[in-house]
Amino acid sequence: MGLFDFFKKKETAPEAQEALDKGLEKTKEGFFSKITKAVAGKSTIDDDVLDNLEEVLVTSDVGVSTTLKIIDRIQQRVSKDKYLSTSELNHLLRDEIQLLLAENNSNDFRQFEYGQHKPYVIMVVGVNGVGKTTTIGKLAHKLKAENLKVVLGAADTFRAAAVEQIKLWGERVGVRVVAQAMGSDPASVAYDTLQSAVANGEDVVIIDTAGRLHNKIGLMNELGKIKNVMEKVIPSAPHEILLVLDGSTGQNAFEQCKQFTEATDVNALAITKLDGTAKGGVVIGISDQFKIPVKYIGVGESMNDLQLFDKKAFVDSLFK
């Protein structure tokens, strides 16, 4: 089995679908109660309904730009058939959101080629508190379950807690952790981790980085230095720069995505804590606006609640 092929096998399982449905409950409840109010007393989809729907999407953290695209698409459908009933709105909305995500994010996770690089290097970025360390631990758990050799690099050396958390996850999952003393050079930790991964024949390296959104130039320099050092060991590394965002923060997640994508070459997103919020619409907006694949979503507390993001399954679950 190739690297990450296990996601294809497991994520379609009934238990994964059940976890997704449960994780999106709060978003669904908020979303549909708002839509019900938006169409109250209306039999057809008119301008008032579309105005109300626009407000529903914006307040569900889909984002203004993406909301306007969706409304425009529905408006075009409605103009072709003047007598579309409000009962058809959910169906229309689901179709248009799925189409939008498919068009804007053609590079889907399932189509990515893995296994060409050994070790495959993932650098994880994101601010403190978004679930970065937990995401690293859960991802390591999934990879380890498929008999892949994983090593974690504790390159967030500015917080003693960050290093300790990575070590705890390493023990819990049963994977090796490379760490140095607090205050060490993060690039040095990354270098040591990659060197030892090559020497030990490990399959995947996951490097944690400092979760500070200080000035953008500082962030850019720091992440740039880590990348440059990695390239000295493995010229193509890192193969993936994974930005972790907290879905419950709504518009703050958009701003963090903007800052990090300007600071480094983010090519994958993980959106966490979707089970604890009604702001799941943020996944739709971020996926559309930044044109970067959302690869993983966090829909619960358990080790198996980090899921591969499947656009169709996500939207279907939202409209169930």
Side-chain angles (χ1 to χ4, degrees), residues 129-142:
V130 295
K132 190 157 51 82
T133 312
T134 304
T135 298
I136 290 169
K138 288 179 178 179
L139 184 53
H141 167 69
K142 282 186 173 277

Side-chain angles (χ1 to χ4, degrees), residues 36-140:
T36 303
K37 287 176 189 168
V39 299
K42 298 282 186 179
S43 57
T44 57
I45 302 170
D46 59 14
D47 287 345
D48 284 347
V49 168
L50 289 172
D51 284 346
N52 291 340
L53 179 59
E54 185 177 318
E55 189 179 337
V56 168
L57 292 169
V58 170
T59 56
S60 298
D61 284 285
V62 171
V64 175
S65 172
T66 304
T67 292
L68 293 176
K69 284 185 198 174
I70 294 167
I71 295 295
D72 183 55
R73 286 162 176 257
I74 292 175
Q75 214 158 15
Q76 287 176 37
R77 293 269 292 268
V78 171
S79 67
K80 289 174 189 169
D81 185 349
K82 301 287 184 189
Y83 302 103
L84 280 171
S85 70
T86 50
S87 63
E88 294 172 274
L89 186 60
N90 285 353
H91 181 69
L92 270 179
L93 192 54
R94 182 183 66 187
D95 284 356
E96 292 307 331
I97 289 172
Q98 280 185 344
L99 283 168
L100 187 72
L101 291 183
E103 288 164 17
N104 281 313
N105 204 347
S106 57
N107 287 331
D108 214 349
F109 185 55
R110 293 163 192 265
Q111 296 161 1
F112 276 35
E113 292 297 322
Y114 288 98
Q116 294 177 349
H117 304 285
K118 182 176 176 178
Y120 184 82
V121 182
I122 304 169
M123 182 167 85
V124 184
V125 300
V127 301
N128 295 330
V130 295
K132 190 157 51 82
T133 312
T134 304
T135 298
I136 290 169
K138 288 179 178 179
L139 184 53

Side-chain angles (χ1 to χ4, degrees), residues 123-126 209 216-217 219-228 231 238 240-243 256-269 292:
M123 182 167 85
V124 184
V125 300
T209 62
K216 198 159 53 189
I217 293 169
L219 178 70
M220 202 177 292
N221 290 343
E222 190 173 291
L223 296 177
K225 186 179 175 188
I226 294 171
K227 278 177 65 181
N228 291 341
E231 286 170 1
E240 185 172 305
I241 299 179
L242 178 67
L243 171 60
Q256 287 169 25
C257 197
K258 182 173 179 288
Q259 294 284 332
F260 276 96
T261 52
E262 287 173 359
T264 191
D265 301 319
V266 175
N267 59 5
L269 300 173
I292 297 168

